Amino acid sequence: MKRSIILGTGSYLPKKRLTNFELSEHLDTSHEWIVERTGICARYIAAPDEFTSDMAVKASKNALEMAGVDPQDLDMIILATSTPDHTFPATATRIQAGLGNTKGFAFDQAAVCSGFIFALATADAYLKQGMATTALVIGAETMSRILDWKDRRTAVLFGDGAGAVVLGAESNTDKGIIGSFLRTDGCGYDDLYVTGGPSTTQTVGTIHMNGQEVFRHAIHKLEEAVEEILKKYSIKKEELDWLVPHQANKRIIDATAKKLGLPDEKVIHTGADQANTSAASIPLALDQAIRDGRIRKGDLILCEAFAGGFAWGSNLIRI
Ligand code: UT7
């Protein structure tokens, strides 16, 4: 049986860092409220002429460099995003061109903040099936473009950025993606959505969220996402080395870590500095922790996310 193994990771954050203090100069909010309710202190904001594809290309180049893979050797590129450059074509094709790849196929995948979890599971299935041999999986978002900057309930929560992972297929190894758990429930559609779209309003729209309802579901569904995947692959909680969670809210992450019995030192937190970068948050966190030496070869990591849709899931990976 083939395994999809991580050959390299990369990430990119825009130059502009916006702190809670700066935000509260124009919005009826405070650093104290944002930190207490979410753990967020700052976020990065893309420059006006910087697009999702630009950030994705930069993150991807870093990942390809770490992997030692030539862009032409990629035969599949999946971009997880809710903030594509245009309605069509797939932003992934623009990334493909930006990397100078002409041999593979590229497409976008939408599962909002769970996008990277879904895209990694998709790439894993393609690699195991032999539909591809070397894959690039990216999470990249310009969430700042779909925020209502006058709405304090959502404007304080999100940021921009990109993260990428290069995957290769290997036989006879215990490394790589062990498995994934994916779920959606469309009953939650109206609790977290963007108010525009091509077929409804012909506008881009802004994020609308029923925060308390999303919070309640996130706690419950993430418990399912981590427990079910461990059960399915017969892994004990104690065997986990790291939790690499989606960074929506520190309180949600803490609740999941507590369920797993993982101390805070075994949880990768990036939300304080980067806020919620939706599909980009997990690959950003993964790249940071691999590059600073916390996550090492052989470590067993669990990634999880909860998102609009609702969509939630997890990936279990031996690095
Ligand atoms: O990544 C996708 C998944 N997303 C999530 O998982 C997010 C889930 N939800 C959450 O993380 C939390 O619900 C929020 C951080 C969004 C909100 O925290 P909360 O503790 O649920 O606050 P709340 O919505 O119950 O609001 C409490 C109060 C309200 O005032 P009143 O009605 O009690 O007077 C809000 O109007 O806080 C007020 N408030 C704010 N005050 C200062 C809401 N936003 C702000 C703000 N600054 N930015």
Side-chain angles (χ1 to χ4, degrees):
M1 182 70 168
K2 267 188 237 162
R3 277 275 182 90
S4 310
I5 57 164
I6 293 185
L7 300 174
T9 59
S11 57
Y12 171 81
L13 289 166
K15 281 198 183 68
K16 185 177 166 51
R17 186 170 181 271
L18 181 66
T19 64
N20 292 347
F21 294 105
E22 289 168 288
L23 252 186
S24 55
E25 285 169 19
H26 309 284
L27 201 61
D28 180 18
T29 187
S30 66
H31 172 72
E32 290 69 26
W33 189 95
I34 303 169
V35 172
E36 190 193 312
R37 302 295 176 115
T38 70
I40 297 166
C41 299
R43 72 284 294 141
Y44 293 83
I45 306 293
D49 60 352
E50 193 169 40
F51 305 143
T52 295
S53 61
D54 297 320
M55 297 192 296
V57 166
K58 286 179 177 152
S60 300
K61 283 183 175 168
N62 292 338
L64 287 161
E65 196 186 334
M66 187 197 281
V69 168
D70 187 304
Q72 274 295 46
D73 292 336
L74 292 171
D75 40 25
M76 175 167 71
I77 299 170
I78 309 180
L79 170 69
T81 193
S82 302
T83 47
D85 289 8
H86 294 100
T87 302
F88 81 76
T91 300
T93 59
R94 215 178 204 186
I95 298 166
Q96 180 188 22
L99 294 173
N101 174 285
T102 54
K103 293 181 177 163
F105 59 94
F107 60 91
D108 292 358
Q109 201 167 13
V112 210
C113 299
S114 295
F116 187 77
I117 299 276
F118 277 58
L120 208 61
T122 305
D124 183 36
Y126 276 64
L127 289 171
K128 281 192 174 130
Q129 197 66 32
M131 293 267 294
T133 56
T134 313
L136 175 66
V137 181
I138 311 154
E141 304 276 17
T142 40
M143 299 304 282
S144 62
R145 305 274 157 78
I146 53 167
L147 286 175
D148 173 355
W149 286 98
K150 293 189 199 79
D151 178 7
R152 67 176 183 174
R153 291 166 304 169
T154 51
V156 303
L157 303 175
F158 296 91
D160 301 336
V165 162
V166 179
L167 296 174
E170 211 173 281
S171 303
N172 305 320
T173 177
D174 67 345
K175 281 196 305 181
I177 300 173
I178 295 165
S180 301
F181 171 89
L182 306 179
R183 287 287 183 276
T184 60
D185 180 356
C187 293
Y189 197 97
D190 294 336
D191 284 320
L192 177 49
Y193 72 103
V194 172
T195 55
S199 87
T200 49
T201 60
Q202 298 84 56
T203 61
V204 173
T206 53
I207 295 175
H208 166 90
M209 177 162 65
N210 183 355
Q212 282 189 0
E213 200 57 16
V214 175
F215 189 96
R216 200 170 62 78
H217 280 278
I219 298 278
H220 179 61
K221 303 298 189 194
L222 286 172
E223 187 179 330
E224 180 193 14
V226 299
E227 282 181 354
E228 289 298 318
I229 199 166
L230 293 178
K231 195 160 76 185
K232 184 168 177 191
Y233 296 101
S234 306
I235 304 272
K236 294 192 199 75
K237 293 173 188 176
E238 305 79 63
E239 291 178 64
L240 288 175
D241 292 301
W242 298 98
L243 178 66
V244 186
H246 168 52
Q247 311 280 328
N249 188 319
K250 187 168 184 303
R251 289 187 288 148
I252 297 174
I253 297 174
D254 290 348
T256 308
K258 197 172 168 197
K259 278 275 161 214
L260 289 168
L262 277 177
D264 206 42
E265 315 81 82
K266 292 288 176 187
V267 182
I268 308 299
H269 292 283
T270 55
D273 185 52
Q274 299 172 12
N276 179 351
T277 56
S278 188
S281 82
I282 291 173
L284 270 160
L286 185 60
D287 184 51
Q288 187 171 312
I290 286 178
R291 284 181 192 266
D292 69 20
R294 275 178 292 170
I295 296 182
R296 297 179 197 185
K297 283 209 186 314
D299 282 355
L300 184 62
I301 70 164
L302 179 58
C303 303
E304 46 81 344
F306 181 82
F310 296 131
W312 65 101
S314 52
N315 315 114
L316 198 52
I317 310 165
R318 174 83 61 192
I319 296 295

